[in-house]
Every structure is written in C-alpha cells, then in structure tokens.
Amino acid sequence: MMKEIEMVCLPEEHQNEEALKAIAAQNLKLSPKRIQGIKIRKRSIDARGRKVVYRMQVQVFLDEAAPPTSFHIDYPDVKDKKPVIIVGAGPAGIFAGLQCILAGVKPIIIERGKDVKQRRRDLANINKQGLVNPESNYCFGEGGAGTYSDGKLYTRSTKRGDVNQVLQMFVAHGATEDILVDARPHIGTNKLPHIITAMRETILNAGGEIHFDTRVTALNVQFGKITGVQTADGNAVKADAVILATGHSARDVFEMLHRQNILIEAKPFALGVRIEHPQEIIDKAQYHCDIRGEYLPPSYYSLVEQVEDRGVFSFCMCPGGIIAPCSTEPGEIVVNGWSPSKRNNPFANSGTVVQINLEDVAGDNTDPFKLLRFQQQVEQIAFAAGGGNLVAPGQRMVDFVEGRLSADIPQNSYLPGVASADLKTVLPGWIHRRLQKALPAFGKKMKGYYTNEALLVGVESRTSSPIKIPRDRETMQHPQVQGLYPCGEGAGYAGGIISAAIDGMNCALAAVKQLA
C-alpha cells in the first residue's frame, strides 16, 4: 500500500531515511515498523520562519517495499532512416537529436565548436590569457552555453512540454535523481560535460551523426523549401528538414539569414551587470542566521523592481559560484555565472539587468540588427574600459550608486581580473540610472544586499537573443521556408536549458510530422 503525504523536517533530517520514516509514521498515526520505504516526490526549502525547514511531498510504502525505478530509454537504430539536420549542439540541438531518434528519424547534428573535452583548452586560454576562439568558447561547442554555465534546470516553461521527461533524460545519462525532486534543480558545471558526452554516445550508437568543427554558411533552399545546408568546408548536406538551434550568440547565423533574404526581427532583451557578494552575506539574509548550517545549501535570491516603467531584475543567480568570461569575439567583454555541483565557492553572483525595448534605442525599428548592434557596442566599450585581455570593468555597489570610482576592487571570482572603472562610462545612461535606483530598493527587500562588499562587473549582455527568427505557431516552420524550424534561445523561443530542450524536442516532432 502506498500513501502520498506532505511533511516538514529539519535540514539535518531531509536525507536521513530513518528520521523521515519517524516523521511519516507520526503524520499517519501508525507504527514506523510498517513503513518499508519512502520516495521523495518534491522537496523545497522554506526559510520564511524563524527556523529553516524542508517541505516535501513523499510517497510512503506500507507493508511492502518501494518498487524499483528505472530511467533506461530504448533508442531505436536510425542509421538508414530519413535525415533531419540539426544546426547546433546546445540543449535544444541535443534534445532535438534524441527526440528524432525516438521518433524514428536520423539526426545529423552540425556544430561549429569542439566537443566538451576539446573545449576545455579554449576555455583555459580565455581565463588565463584573455584569448577568445570565435568558434570554441563558453557559448560555442558541444552542449552550448549550458555546458559551462551552471546547469540550472529551473524553468517556468511548464506549458510548453513535459519538464519531467527532460529531467528523466538527464538522469538516464548520468545526472543525480535529486533533479527530479528539488524545487530548483541544478546539475553543476563540473558534472555536465560527462552527461553531455553520454548523450552524444547515445546519438552515435543509434546511428545519428555529429560533426564538430563544422560551421554552416548557407541554407540551401529551392522554391521555398529547404533542401539542406552548406558548410564552411564546401560540403553540401542534404535533408528536407533543418532545425536551426544555434544559440543566442551566433551572430553570423543572423547575418546569413538576412543575406539570404530570410526574415528575422529585432527582439527585446535585457542588459546590465553581474553582481557578486560573499556567499555568507546572502546566507545570513536568506536563512536569518550568522552561520549557515552544514545541512543547508548556499542560499539564492530572486529580486525584481520596476524603475521608470522598465523591469530591473536578477537573472541566473549562482550560489557558491564563479563569474566567467563569455565573449565570443575578440575585443568584447561579456560576463556570465556558473556554479559547481557542490556550490562550494565563497561567492554568490547574479546577473542584474534592465529590460530593453526597441524604442529605448535610437534607430530604425524595422532594422532587425538594431538591438544586436547596440549589444555589440556596449560589449566593446566594456572591453576598452577594462584595459584589454578580457579584464572586466568593475565597481563596488555603493560606489556605483553614489557615483564615485572605487578606490580598490574586492577579492572576486573573475579569473581574467577586474579593473576599477566608472560603469557610468560603460552603460548607457538610462540603464545606469535604473540600476542606481534599483539596488538600494533591493537592499530594502533583502537585508545586507546593499553593501560596498558587493562588486558590479560589466557587462551581462547575453540574457537572451536580441533577434527573433519567426515561425508558424502550429507547424513551427519559418513562414517563408518550408522545412526550416527556428529553435531554442537563438531563435527567441527559450530561456534556459530546460525550455531550450523542450523546444528542441517539439521542433523535432514537428519535423518528423512533416517528413511522414
């Protein structure tokens, strides 16, 4: 017999099976001896009261053992099946490939960057020498930006598809089962490469293809229908369906589409800075304690404020994390954040950005590159302000708000280094002003947040794509090109690993339907 109940426990009890059995027995008013097993369904931290507790939904198995759980997935052999080309091996592209196999078609994934192992050398060159390889960096390569930017699996995109199916596919390829139950699931940058490698092996073993170091330079289109793609090495790859899952930073892909007279549109996005605090400040504020207990994870926060009719909000918060250089071209500064699985670094960082609409930037609103050029310009100004070699411009928080240059820069996690700079010279005035007003307001919402121990690092500019590639809501095809499926973050239809994965799977199903 199985009963499902809600229960509350202390942090030191949440992974102790005997303690959980005792609490469940008390809730059900029966002997603990009858409980043969407990399965956690959902788990979250509640820090609203004086004591921090875990709230859980659990299945309690009485008088019988809990049934075993298997996450094995049988993938058919698709070596000789119809092909679908997938451009990009980020979350959208990889999950599109896995879904293609399950649906009985052959994925041919074309990725401009390197596999996860080879990418490490290029990331080392970025961090240690400030050298950016435009084809292999934090954004480009196997697994996309998600591989080396934390592995946060929290999403609000529950209406687009089955989030649990995506999580189970991660578990089937090596992720811990904790991601199925935690309210804010997280894999960790140190573990994601092994999981992505396992997914690659699944695709190859099923007869799919993956081509690294291969950049698509043109779409082959005849009479309004896709026939395949052209690559930089001169090869033509043929297929009647192409899923374009190139990510939000593949600017040359937008140029390619525009050059081929395939419609693209400017899209609102957000831009600002990445803010880093000592993790202990965030823990004190969120857990209402002087020292975080050993059974609690580093705490996170989510903040938002309306300032002059624009949203200012925290984004991609990384407890126990590191600020990373995510430029995709020389001469620009782009910062992002990530955390290892244990989230055991001494700092917490979060993007803190201002919403940008088309009317906020001067120029022709019909120009699809209007906001992308604005994004590029700010990134280049940030590079100059840092002095080169990917050194980023930075300013202490109170100094930023009060308009003075910081006398020094606190210890921080950004490996290429941070140089003291007046961020007013980096950020457009209307973004700078809104951030100045929002940060003290955040401090009123969260005790300890507004402090000169916090460091602002510029710029956080790749929150989402500044360009949208339109598609039909029903068929998911581009309105001008039959068989072309704009997909994921780069096309403007996702905002994170899970939503990108779901969109990739949905595009794969749409492509399979067309090929049938």
Side-chain angles (χ1 to χ4, degrees):
M1 179 189 302
M2 186 274 287
K3 289 183 177 290
E4 191 157 325
I5 64 170
E6 294 186 2
M7 57 192 291
V8 178
C9 67
L10 297 174
E12 58 267 29
E13 297 171 326
H14 84 283
Q15 289 185 324
N16 184 321
E17 187 173 2
E18 293 306 313
L20 295 182
K21 284 182 178 179
I23 296 170
Q26 187 176 17
N27 286 1
L28 293 170
K29 295 180 172 55
L30 48 77
S31 169
K33 294 180 180 179
R34 291 192 60 194
I35 299 177
Q36 300 300 306
I38 287 182
K39 281 192 176 182
I40 300 171
R41 300 279 293 169
K42 293 294 179 184
R43 178 173 61 203
S44 62
I45 295 174
D46 186 348
R48 294 172 295 179
R50 302 181 85 180
K51 277 190 174 182
V52 180
V53 296
Y54 274 85
R55 296 191 179 276
M56 298 190 288
Q57 294 178 8
V58 302
Q59 290 179 336
V60 183
F61 293 87
L62 305 176
D63 308 319
E64 61 184 16
T69 304
S70 174
F71 298 98
H72 175 75
I73 304 171
D74 288 319
Y75 289 90
D77 187 343
V78 294
K79 181 179 179 180
D80 299 320
K81 302 298 183 180
K82 288 183 179 179
V84 170
I85 295 172
I86 300 168
V87 186
I94 288 175
F95 277 83
L98 293 171
Q99 185 64 67
C100 279
I101 294 169
L102 290 173
V105 300
K106 176 181 178 178
I108 301 175
I109 300 178
I110 301 175
E111 167 58 49
R112 68 189 301 162
K114 301 175 183 178
D115 64 45
V116 287
K117 185 176 181 180
Q118 297 299 320
R119 280 178 79 182
R120 292 183 186 275
R121 299 176 184 176
D122 296 309
L123 300 187
N125 286 336
I126 290 173
N127 284 310
K128 295 176 182 178
Q129 302 179 45
L131 298 176
V132 178
N133 180 343
E135 303 298 335
S136 177
N137 44 62
Y138 273 98
C139 291
F140 299 155
E142 186 178 21
T147 303
Y148 293 102
S149 61
D150 202 48
K152 281 183 285 294
L153 304 179
Y154 176 72
T155 182
R156 293 185 177 89
S157 302
T158 55
K159 294 182 180 179
R160 300 184 185 184
D162 188 345
V163 172
N164 207 48
Q165 181 184 2
V166 174
L167 296 177
Q168 287 179 359
M169 291 173 84
F170 272 117
V171 173
H173 289 90
T176 173
E177 291 182 37
D178 285 344
I179 67 172
L180 298 172
V181 302
D182 286 333
R184 302 184 74 89
H186 167 256
I187 292 178
T189 300
N190 55 317
K191 292 187 175 181
L192 264 170
H194 303 291
I195 295 167
I196 297 299
T197 299
M199 290 180 169
R200 178 216 309 161
E201 291 172 353
T202 291
I203 292 170
L204 295 176
N205 289 339
E209 297 180 18
I210 303 179
H211 302 274
F212 295 112
D213 296 306
T214 305
R215 184 162 53 89
V216 169
T217 55
L219 301 179
N220 293 332
V221 182
Q222 292 184 358
F223 308 110
K225 295 182 179 181
I226 202 84
T227 61
V229 301
Q230 201 77 25
T231 62
D233 54 13
N235 290 330
V237 185
K238 296 181 178 181
D240 293 328
V242 172
I243 296 173
L244 200 60
T246 50
H248 57 43
S249 293
R251 291 166 172 166
D252 60 314
V253 171
F254 300 132
E255 300 276 5
M256 174 191 78
L257 294 172
H258 189 63
R259 189 169 57 248
Q260 293 190 239
N261 294 315
I262 297 173
L263 181 65
I264 58 175
E265 303 166 348
K267 182 184 78 63
F269 73 118
L271 184 145
V273 295
R274 189 150 282 263
I275 298 181
E276 184 169 82
H277 289 78
Q279 179 64 50
E280 62 183 17
I281 289 178
I282 307 303
D283 291 340
K284 286 180 181 179
Q286 300 297 74
Y287 291 147
H288 321 296
C289 62
D290 291 331
I291 299 176
R292 170 172 51 89
E294 62 176 306
Y295 296 102
L296 283 171
S299 187
Y300 68 92
Y301 62 83
S302 178
L303 296 165
V304 63
E305 188 76 18
Q306 284 293 119
V307 181
E308 298 177 13
D309 297 322
R310 290 290 179 271
V312 182
F313 56 95
S314 63
F315 170 85
C316 183
M317 198 272 155
C318 301
I322 289 172
I323 298 178
C326 292
S327 307
T328 52
E329 298 174 35
E332 64 187 25
I333 288 285
V334 180
V335 293
N336 198 346
W338 61 267
S339 300
S341 57
K342 293 184 179 179
R343 291 181 161 171
N344 55 355
N345 286 293
F347 301 104
N349 69 75
S350 177
T352 305
V353 295
V354 179
Q355 174 189 346
I356 299 172
N357 294 337
L358 266 67
E359 62 267 25
D360 296 325
V361 178
D364 181 4
N365 283 350
T366 64
D367 177 8
F369 294 99
K370 177 181 177 180
L371 295 187
L372 187 147
R373 302 295 182 225
F374 168 78
Q375 182 191 60
Q376 282 182 307
Q377 183 181 35
V378 175
E379 293 169 0
Q380 291 164 2
I381 292 171
F383 181 87
N389 291 333
L390 295 185
V391 174
Q395 196 169 7
R396 290 178 181 263
M397 182 181 286
V398 179
D399 292 342
F400 172 85
V401 172
E402 296 182 355
R404 60 174 174 267
L405 191 68
S406 296
D408 59 9
I409 294 296
Q411 185 178 358
N412 61 84
S413 67
Y414 183 73
L415 289 177
V418 179
S420 180
D422 184 355
L423 291 177
K424 189 174 184 179
T425 67
V426 175
L427 299 167
W430 50 274
I431 292 179
H432 183 270
R433 186 177 66 252
R434 286 179 169 92
L435 285 170
Q436 278 185 311
K437 292 181 178 180
L439 298 181
F442 288 167
K444 293 178 180 178
K445 294 179 178 181
M446 181 176 156
K447 185 179 179 181
Y449 176 90
Y450 183 62
T451 171
N452 233 18
E453 291 186 61
L455 176 66
L456 278 65
V457 182
V459 288
E460 172 76 66
S461 53
R462 307 286 177 93
T463 54
S464 65
S465 176
I467 285 180
K468 184 174 185 177
I469 308 174
R471 72 186 186 194
D472 182 86
R473 181 174 293 184
E474 298 299 323
T475 68
M476 303 188 80
Q477 297 176 80
H478 192 282
Q480 295 174 323
V481 183
Q482 183 179 336
L484 176 61
Y485 298 86
C487 180
E489 285 200 36
Y493 301 100
I497 292 175
I498 295 295
S499 58
I502 289 173
D503 201 57
M505 294 169 76
N506 289 341
C507 284
L509 291 173
V512 171
K513 184 177 179 180
Q514 174 219 336
L515 292 174

